[in-house]
Amino acid sequence: MKTLTFPDFVINRDNEKCIQCEVCVRQCAFDAHTLDKETNKVETDIKKCVGCLRCATMCPTGALCVSEYSQKIRKNCNWNEKQLKELYKQAETGGVLLTGMGTDKDYKIIWDHILLDAAQVTNPSIDPLREPMELRTYLGSKPSKIDFRFDISDLKLKNLQKGILKTKLPPQLKIETPILFSAMSYGAISLNVCRALAQAAEECGIYYNTGEGGLHKDLYKYSKNTIVQVASGRFGVNPDYFEAAAAVEIKIGQGAKPGIGGHLPGEKVTEEISQTRMIPSGTDALSPAPHHDIYSIEDLSQLIYSLKEATEYKKPISVKVAAVHNIAAIASGIVRAGADIVAIDGIRGGTGAAPTRIRDNVGIPIELAIASVDSRLREEGIRNRASIIAAGGFRNSGDVVKAITLGADAVYIGTAALVAMGCHLCQKCYTGKCNWGIATQDPYLVKRLNPDIAARRLINLIKAWSHEIKEIMGGMGINAIESLRGNRLRLRGFDLHDNELKILDIKPAGESL
Amino acid sequence: MKKIYFREEYCMACRLCEIACLVAHSKSKKIIKAYKEEFPNLTPRLVIEQNGPLSFAIQCRHCEDAPCIAACVTGAMHRDRKTNAVSHNAEKCVGCWMCIMSCPFGVILRDIKEKKVATKCDLCSDEKILACVNACPNEALICAESIKNKDKKKE
């Protein structure tokens, strides 16, 4: 069938600069650049270009420029180019549209409408380069009260001052900065990417999340910084998996596709992945949409406690859900079910593959979800029983500070971490042809990502964000992340509706205390 | 001495090292000028081997017991006293290509520029930065005293 759709991008090749070195030909897994063997000239097929910019980045002479396709359809706000292209595609294939990464729809980003406070005159700001700043925090259930005693058997003053904790604290995850790497499974991303995330997490004193794809044997050495996931497919779940982990996360849903399962096509299930996931190689790895043993909060509680039993109550159990309309009540149920950590993924959360319609239309923004969950848990007096990790489209340290100020304990970053490693958000993760060597299992492409370089880039990112968070906190006159958490008085809404302000529970900009 | 090592697990066969090597050994040292004006007379000093997904760039290993030095009839191929590298003096070379025959790595190439002589990696003798190492986007080529490769040890 002749396709009626038109290209997304144009590739301009400056022939003055092009030296016919074929780097672009070798770098494009989508075959947008090819060599004509007869004329020995490099040719370009713009229809195949996905706009990942790999060729333009690698071109040694800068001869390539990828830009938006300039031929436009008649302007129509209702039936725009994107809609038309999708219609043509569906008319030609008869299939569900697939996509990758988080939604690219032009939703209002509430972070950009929340403003932070700073100290002026009435309270002093702090210089983070000269004074200590505490970004360390602990994730896990906190007791309602703590009892301690003093050791009176030894009457030295030094010992008398030291209290001894009588309350047995539930297991905690210590993080040096309130940023963790989101769940990305081996299968969706390559093993080299998993390695980079693990190395960076170890170096930064934070955690990375295995996702639902099991834990590869090479990654067991990073177990101190690993959160393992138990999802509906139960891939790779075994006693060693729990033994290796610092915490276990039950994945109910993810922000990009709430209510939808996962499907790793058989061609991606290589020998290594089949061993890690504990499924036959070459078979599709199907994650059902629901956990077939969880149909209520009580069922969830059973799974939480069976995992706690399996880990001898030594490891915090997290439950990850997508931010949906009833998130506050759901989170309350999760906390009451016994979870130590609630991870909430907003609508802008990323994915390796999701139906476009689901990704772009289902869920709620994380900003509102954090605020409503935190408020609800506080109202019910159970906020201390679980930590909240927010996820879904955190773009910079400003977003992180705002999330923590709204009430999150830490944030998960996925897309930002991938971008740090080279991702250019072409949204073609589901094709398995990632030119940046990230979302692929093709041995030609996997090699493109050197985990040492990627880990260095991730470490730099986390360090940079941590410095910025300290800088922002210093400006606010706050010296510990714990004092920032839920401190919504230090936020102001700008250009937000009354209802949004009400849910966020923040004052509009200009209103004093 | 410092040598150039390759790590085949990260080589993606982009051949940017080859391009950088060509340019570094060109007259103009400008990439576009070198390719557009000098091209047929340029020979890279490294060889990229590729078989399926396995690939690597290899250049002179500067062997301790270098067969090319032993094979050279004119003394053009010699060991540099300062750097301990295997060097090639094009002035002395008569182009008998015995070095090419004897090199176990196949990294000595024919230079067809002016007179037919052999050519090989000179560790970018004039420059401090090694062109191929600098050009590799994935650190598959590294310059080091020795290579520590965890995966290799296992094997």
Side-chain angles (χ1 to χ4, degrees):
Chain A
M1 199 189 296
K2 166 143 180 63
T3 178
L4 304 182
T5 191
F6 38 96
D8 292 324
F9 299 97
V10 234
I11 306 168
N12 292 307
R13 183 183 296 276
D14 185 342
N15 281 323
E16 291 272 295
K17 287 184 182 166
C18 179
I19 55 170
Q20 304 283 330
C21 65
E22 297 169 52
V23 167
C24 49
V25 176
R26 286 185 286 268
Q27 291 298 308
C28 186
F30 292 89
D31 295 328
H33 301 283
T34 46
L35 181 78
D36 184 328
K37 289 218 169 109
E38 275 177 17
T39 59
N40 229 10
K41 287 229 157 145
V42 178
E43 291 175 344
T44 305
D45 182 358
I46 56 169
K47 276 184 194 156
K48 290 180 178 164
C49 179
V50 298
C52 73
L53 302 186
R54 179 78 184 181
C55 57
T57 312
M58 297 291 278
C59 178
T61 59
L64 292 170
C65 176
V66 179
S67 50
E68 232 173 291
Y69 188 64
S70 51
Q71 192 168 302
K72 294 280 170 193
I73 58 152
R74 187 190 181 93
K75 193 181 173 193
N76 189 324
C77 294
N78 201 19
W79 300 94
N80 61 30
E81 222 174 283
K82 192 170 176 248
Q83 308 297 339
L84 255 65
K85 272 183 191 164
E86 289 176 351
L87 285 169
Y88 290 137
K89 207 171 175 185
Q90 288 196 300
E92 284 153 23
T93 61
V96 171
L97 292 171
L98 276 181
T99 187
M101 303 310 292
T103 182
D104 55 4
K105 233 173 146 180
D106 190 17
Y107 287 121
K108 177 178 186 175
I109 297 172
I110 301 176
W111 298 131
D112 294 339
H113 297 270
I114 295 178
L115 303 172
L116 290 163
D117 191 22
Q120 295 292 297
V121 185
T122 53
N123 53 344
S125 48
I126 302 169
D127 184 346
L129 295 175
R130 292 187 175 76
E131 291 179 59
M133 273 285 168
E134 183 79 45
L135 290 192
R136 181 182 298 162
T137 189
Y138 292 85
L139 302 178
S141 179
K142 313 288 187 296
S144 310
K145 63 175 182 115
I146 48 168
D147 292 321
F148 55 91
R149 63 184 169 84
F150 293 103
D151 190 0
I152 46 167
S153 61
D154 191 354
L155 282 171
K156 280 180 199 156
L157 187 65
K158 204 172 82 186
N159 288 339
L160 269 180
Q161 283 171 335
K162 259 192 202 162
I164 297 164
L165 196 62
K166 270 160 71 184
T167 315
K168 194 168 173 280
L169 279 178
Q172 304 287 325
L173 288 184
K174 177 177 159 188
I175 48 174
E176 296 299 334
T177 193
I179 305 163
L180 300 98
F181 297 128
S182 260
M184 288 177 273
S185 69
Y186 172 41
I189 55 172
S190 74
L191 186 60
N192 279 349
V193 182
C194 296
R195 268 199 199 111
L197 288 166
Q199 277 177 30
E202 188 181 44
E203 175 72 26
C204 298
I206 55 170
Y207 294 85
Y208 84 100
N209 192 315
T210 62
E212 59 172 315
L215 186 62
H216 190 271
K217 54 184 186 303
D218 288 0
L219 300 174
Y220 272 79
K221 59 183 172 207
Y222 302 106
S223 63
K224 264 190 275 170
N225 300 84
T226 308
I227 299 175
V228 299
Q229 224 177 35
V230 175
S232 57
R234 301 282 199 273
F235 297 120
V237 176
N238 70 82
D240 294 343
Y241 186 60
F242 292 139
E243 189 63 36
V248 182
E249 183 168 272
I250 301 169
K251 180 203 166 190
I252 303 289
Q254 73 185 82
K257 42 176 176 180
I260 300 281
H263 180 174
L264 188 72
E267 57 260 36
K268 277 194 182 180
V269 182
T270 59
E271 192 54 44
E272 293 276 293
I273 291 179
S274 94
Q275 279 174 18
T276 309
R277 295 206 173 206
M278 300 177 174
I279 54 168
S281 70
T283 57
D284 290 11
L286 291 161
S287 297
H291 282 248
H292 285 307
D293 52 354
I294 302 178
Y295 282 76
S296 65
I297 290 291
E298 291 76 13
D299 291 346
L300 175 67
S301 188
Q302 279 189 7
L303 182 59
I304 292 173
Y305 278 95
S306 37
L307 291 178
K308 284 191 175 184
E309 287 288 340
T311 55
E312 295 169 337
Y313 294 84
K314 282 180 189 156
K315 289 164 188 182
I317 308 294
S318 163
V319 175
K320 180 179 179 179
V321 282
V324 287
H325 301 179
N326 211 9
I327 187 66
I330 293 165
S332 165
I334 291 169
V335 176
R336 287 170 196 280
D340 300 287
I341 298 166
V342 186
I344 307 164
D345 197 4
I347 188 173
R348 290 189 301 271
T351 178
T356 311
R357 293 291 160 261
I358 303 285
R359 186 196 72 172
D360 289 350
N361 297 297
V362 183
I364 63 168
I366 189 63
E367 300 91 328
L368 300 170
I370 301 170
S372 68
V373 168
D374 182 67
S375 305
R376 175 74 171 255
L377 297 185
R378 277 175 201 281
E379 276 165 28
E380 295 183 359
I382 53 170
R383 177 66 181 84
N384 63 300
R385 278 167 56 182
S387 294
I388 299 173
I389 306 180
F394 286 92
R395 303 160 300 165
N396 53 50
S397 59
D399 293 354
V400 176
V401 170
K402 288 169 190 172
I404 290 170
T405 316
L406 277 178
D409 286 79
V411 302
Y412 266 141
I413 57 164
T415 305
L418 292 182
V419 171
M421 284 187 275
C423 170
H424 278 56
L425 286 163
C426 71
Q427 307 183 17
K428 290 287 180 286
C429 325
Y430 65 97
T431 61
K433 287 189 193 170
C434 176
N435 273 328
W436 292 91
I438 296 171
T440 178
Q441 304 303 330
D442 181 340
Y444 285 93
L445 302 175
V446 167
K447 294 172 95 183
R448 293 185 182 182
L449 192 119
N450 181 338
D452 298 334
I453 302 176
R456 240 176 287 149
R457 298 182 72 97
L458 287 169
I459 293 165
N460 282 340
L461 181 83
I462 298 294
K463 273 193 185 156
W465 284 25
S466 302
H467 282 308
E468 287 178 343
I469 295 171
K470 285 181 181 175
E471 205 70 49
I472 296 171
M473 278 166 45
M476 293 165 95
I478 289 174
N479 65 2
I481 199 89
E482 308 279 354
S483 318
L484 188 70
R485 181 167 309 127
N487 199 343
R488 296 193 204 172
L489 289 172
R490 309 304 296 272
L491 296 176
R492 288 291 183 272
F494 180 58
D495 207 8
L496 288 176
H497 299 301
D498 287 351
N499 282 335
E500 289 162 340
L501 290 171
K502 202 178 106 195
I503 291 163
L504 292 168
D505 195 18
I506 58 175
K507 290 180 190 298
E511 197 175 308
S512 292
L513 279 180
Chain B
M1 71 175 277
K2 280 202 170 179
K3 281 189 192 175
I4 300 170
Y5 291 93
F6 64 80
R7 299 191 288 177
E8 75 278 5
E9 67 269 37
Y10 303 134
C11 173
M12 52 176 136
C14 64
R15 294 182 175 249
L16 282 169
C17 51
E18 193 178 25
I19 296 163
C21 184
L22 278 178
V23 175
H25 293 95
S26 68
K27 261 187 211 157
S28 61
K29 308 216 186 260
K30 286 181 181 168
I31 182 164
I32 295 171
K33 202 172 174 193
Y35 264 82
K36 300 253 168 180
E37 289 167 20
E38 305 171 37
F39 190 64
N41 291 332
L42 287 173
T43 319
R45 314 254 172 131
L46 50 77
V47 176
I48 291 158
E49 302 284 358
Q50 194 175 0
N51 183 8
L54 177 70
S55 59
F56 54 84
I58 186 167
Q59 52 293 85
C60 176
R61 301 284 89 204
H62 300 279
C63 312
E64 268 175 34
D65 181 19
C68 57
I69 297 179
C72 184
V73 289
T74 63
M77 200 66 83
H78 64 283
R79 190 167 296 279
D80 191 303
R81 288 213 183 123
K82 269 188 205 162
T83 61
N84 223 16
V86 175
S87 283
H88 176 249
N89 184 345
E91 300 278 302
K92 284 189 185 172
C93 180
V94 294
C96 72
W97 295 340
M98 278 311 288
C99 52
I100 298 178
M101 298 288 286
S102 63
C103 177
F105 299 100
V107 290
I108 305 176
L109 301 161
R110 290 179 298 181
D111 190 347
I112 45 169
K113 245 186 257 174
E114 288 145 22
K115 51 176 187 171
K116 285 180 181 174
V117 293
T119 183
K120 63 179 278 299
C121 169
D122 56 357
L123 287 172
C124 291
S125 52
D126 310 335
E127 309 287 331
K128 277 181 186 163
I129 301 163
L130 299 169
C132 54
V133 174
N134 195 40
C136 181
N138 211 24
E139 292 178 13
L141 285 174
I142 51 168
C143 178
E145 290 286 343
S146 67
I147 190 166
K148 277 181 197 162
N149 195 326
K150 296 165 212 160
D151 298 331
K152 272 197 181 141
K153 266 184 201 163
K154 261 188 227 164
E155 284 165 17

